[in-house]
């Protein structure tokens, strides 16, 4: 199971910050931001190998389920 930021979203935000810097903004003037989107990924194959039962409610909330 993994819960973390959406990496493609982070890369897009980083590109926007780089664009601002290349257009003349000072890096010190650009605010630090937290990730905007997070993902929950559950690997059922590994869970079964470890003998874990994942509740159906958690599976329904997952962004991706690896079977």
């Amino acid at each position: 199971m993994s819960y973390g930021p959406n990496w493609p979203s982070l890369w897009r935000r980083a590109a926007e910050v780089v664009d601002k810097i290349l257009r003349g903004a000072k890096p010190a003037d650009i605010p630090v931001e937290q990730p905007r989107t997070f993902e929950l990924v559950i690997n059922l194959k590994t869970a079964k190998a470890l003998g874990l039962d994942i509740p159906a409610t958690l599976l329904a909330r997952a962004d991706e389920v690896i079977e």
Side-chain angles (χ1 to χ4, degrees), residues 3-22:
Y3 182 72
N6 178 297
W7 288 102
S9 174
L10 286 178
W11 295 328
R12 280 190 291 277
R13 291 294 305 146
E16 291 173 12
V17 171
V18 169
D19 181 56
K20 288 179 184 180
I21 293 170
L22 292 176

Side-chain angles (χ1 to χ4, degrees), residues 23-62:
R23 291 178 188 262
K26 293 181 182 178
D29 295 337
I30 299 172
V32 175
E33 297 181 14
Q34 290 185 350
R36 293 181 180 177
T37 56
F38 291 85
E39 292 182 327
L40 173 62
V41 179
I42 299 174
N43 188 329
L44 280 180
K45 183 177 178 181
T46 302
K48 288 179 184 176
L50 294 171
L52 302 174
D53 291 324
I54 307 296
T57 54
L58 188 58
L59 289 173
R61 298 187 94 186

